Amino acid sequence: NYPLPFFSEAAAIISKFYNIPFILTGHGAFEMSLDSLIGVFGSVFNRTFFQVPLSPADRIHVSNERIRNQISVYDRYRSKVEVIPMGVDTDWYNPGICESSPPYTAKEDRPVLLFVGSFRRYKQVSLLIEAVDLLPTDVQLVLIGDGPEYNSITTKIDTRSLSEHVDLLGHVSDEELRAAYDYADIFVLPSSSI
């Protein structure tokens, strides 16, 4: 499961050793912007180490057409690449059937906007905070997740005096997540990497 560095490389070597099929799942790629350290690392990684699992892979599964068409690291292996969209268990995530309370207290007469994901730069949670600050109506933003930008998001919420409008929950249980989706009015995903 790329992009966790070196796990897919190890799996490729093990599959070759034991002569078992190797299927690589890619949910994206390292950011290629050379103006950041991660971008430089990603660029070098994709041209070197990432070739180790791509070459012997029997199939390469990606979650959408954008990844297949815009991530140049897959170009050489296009015949192996297959799009398999991520699915949702509609028996579990089905509006109106959840009997649990959400992991936040809904504010009276405020629409609830819900973000669930990793707090990383490409997920654009910071941009979401800025957008909520600009909205002319009173909303409640619920953020579920964690990641490297968690502290900066907390600081941005405090700096903009938005703690009355933003619930920062961190990780929640599966049942709480189900209830959060069920009670939210709008799911928001400002990610630049869909």
Side-chain angles (χ1 to χ4, degrees):
N1 186 350
Y2 176 68
L4 295 175
F6 309 114
F7 286 98
S8 54
E9 289 76 3
I13 293 166
I14 291 168
S15 73
K16 188 172 185 173
F17 182 78
Y18 287 103
N19 197 28
I20 56 176
F22 176 56
I23 299 172
L24 179 70
T25 302
H27 295 276
F30 278 111
E31 298 172 11
M32 295 303 152
S33 171
L34 297 179
D35 62 350
S36 70
L37 184 58
I38 188 94
V40 171
F41 174 76
S43 211
V44 171
F45 182 86
N46 282 343
R47 291 190 180 109
T48 56
F49 292 107
F50 194 45
Q51 299 306 310
V52 172
L54 287 174
S55 180
D58 295 292
R59 300 293 304 157
I60 301 168
H61 293 167
V62 295
S63 58
N64 60 58
E65 291 289 339
R66 182 197 155 279
I67 293 171
R68 175 168 60 186
N69 296 330
Q70 293 184 355
I71 307 295
S72 62
V73 73
Y74 298 123
D75 287 347
R76 189 170 162 195
Y77 308 100
R78 188 153 306 275
S79 65
K80 298 180 183 184
V81 178
E82 182 178 356
V83 175
I84 300 179
M86 292 186 205
V88 174
D89 181 351
T90 56
D91 289 332
W92 180 256
Y93 292 107
N94 189 332
I97 66 166
C98 183
E99 296 177 7
S100 300
S101 297
Y104 54 86
T105 303
K107 315 280 192 306
E108 187 94 13
D109 299 326
R110 286 188 190 175
V112 175
L113 311 178
L114 175 65
F115 168 87
V116 178
S118 179
F119 289 26
R120 298 187 174 279
R121 184 170 50 107
Y122 61 87
K123 292 294 186 178
Q124 308 254 5
V125 180
S126 182
L127 181 64
L128 183 55
I129 301 297
E130 293 170 20
V132 166
D133 197 15
L134 295 173
L135 288 175
T137 59
D138 208 12
V139 299
Q140 178 179 1
L141 174 63
V142 177
L143 303 173
I144 296 177
D146 199 353
E149 291 206 341
Y150 188 90
N151 291 337
S152 66
I153 295 301
T154 302
T155 301
K156 184 168 261 191
I157 292 167
D158 292 341
T159 302
R160 292 178 176 254
S161 302
L162 289 172
S163 58
E164 179 81 18
H165 300 277
V166 181
D167 293 300
L168 190 56
L169 303 183
H171 290 285
V172 299
S173 70
D174 286 347
E175 184 62 34
E176 289 172 316
L177 183 60
R178 178 185 190 195
Y181 277 118
D182 195 42
Y183 285 89
D185 296 296
I186 300 170
F187 175 74
V188 289
L189 184 64
S191 176
S192 62
S193 65
I194 294 176

